[in-house]
Amino acid sequence: MLSEVEPLQITFACGFQARKVHPDKNPNDPLAAQNFQVLGEAYQVLSDPAQRQAYDAYGKSGISTEAIIDPAAIFAMLFGSELFEDYIGQLAMASVASLDIFTEGEEFDAKKLQDKMKVVQKEREEKLADILRGRLNQYVQGNKEDFINYAEAEVSRLSNA
């Protein structure tokens, strides 16, 4: 039964699965975002005793979707993805959560959101290209030893995340 699963096991299992199904890891899978969303919602239900009890008693109809948080935000909180933003950018779903494109009471507009996400993605790609260009410039300018020292320090910093 779900209520017997320990919270740490839930976090580990969902975290492991999140890394496998994340849309950025599966860019050619049209269901990746949906799978990640479902996993994030499952994590939130399983990790909240009240939500889990409601799910056990009434199934999906028993849980409150108002309390569900963006799975990318949960993933970032749990696994420190902000340390990797200079390499992968802000996760797409986290970007959606941070967009301030709808005003209070305004009806959700999927087209407006898609258009904004295209702009955000282009900005993400340009930012990452600039960061990469800056990091590689040291090597290109002939400072191979400094570049290697920086890269090794960066590997050490990120491996502790």
Side-chain angles (χ1 to χ4, degrees):
M1 177 168 248
L2 293 177
S3 60
E4 297 171 2
V5 178
E6 293 296 320
L8 188 57
Q9 291 171 311
I10 294 168
T11 300
F12 178 77
C14 288
F16 179 75
Q17 282 301 113
R19 291 176 183 178
K20 286 176 34 180
V21 303
H22 193 277
D24 289 349
K25 294 274 189 184
N26 300 284
N28 297 323
D29 181 359
L31 297 176
Q34 180 182 349
N35 292 338
F36 188 72
Q37 180 78 25
V38 168
L39 179 63
E41 290 173 7
Y43 169 75
Q44 291 175 70
V45 171
L46 291 172
S47 63
D48 178 348
Q51 289 273 65
R52 189 168 55 199
Q53 185 176 17
Y55 184 86
D56 286 346
Y58 307 105
K60 193 170 183 175
S61 64
I63 60 171
S64 169
T65 57
E66 294 176 359
I68 301 294
I69 300 170
D70 177 6
I74 300 249
F75 184 79
M77 287 186 284
L78 290 173
F79 303 105
S81 68
E82 70 279 353
L83 294 174
F84 296 92
E85 281 190 17
D86 284 351
Y87 296 96
I88 63 170
Q90 186 178 40
L91 301 176
M93 291 164 97
S95 297
V96 171
S98 67
L99 292 178
D100 188 22
I101 60 172
F102 298 105
T103 58
E104 186 73 29
E106 182 182 2
E107 194 170 315
F108 177 79
D109 182 345
K111 173 90 170 93
K112 184 177 179 182
L113 179 60
Q114 287 176 338
D115 291 345
K116 183 62 178 175
M117 284 305 299
K118 286 179 184 176
V119 170
V120 168
Q121 179 63 24
K122 183 171 177 23
E123 290 170 355
R124 174 186 179 194
E125 291 169 3
E126 290 171 354
K127 177 184 175 187
L128 292 173
D130 286 342
I131 291 169
L132 180 60
R133 185 181 313 112
R135 290 196 171 138
L136 293 175
N137 189 46
Q138 195 173 34
Y139 184 86
V140 170
Q141 297 298 320
N143 300 327
K144 185 176 179 180
E145 188 174 326
D146 289 343
F147 174 80
I148 290 171
N149 289 336
Y150 171 80
E152 288 174 346
E154 190 69 349
V155 165
S156 178
R157 181 182 76 88
L158 295 174
S159 68
N160 293 322

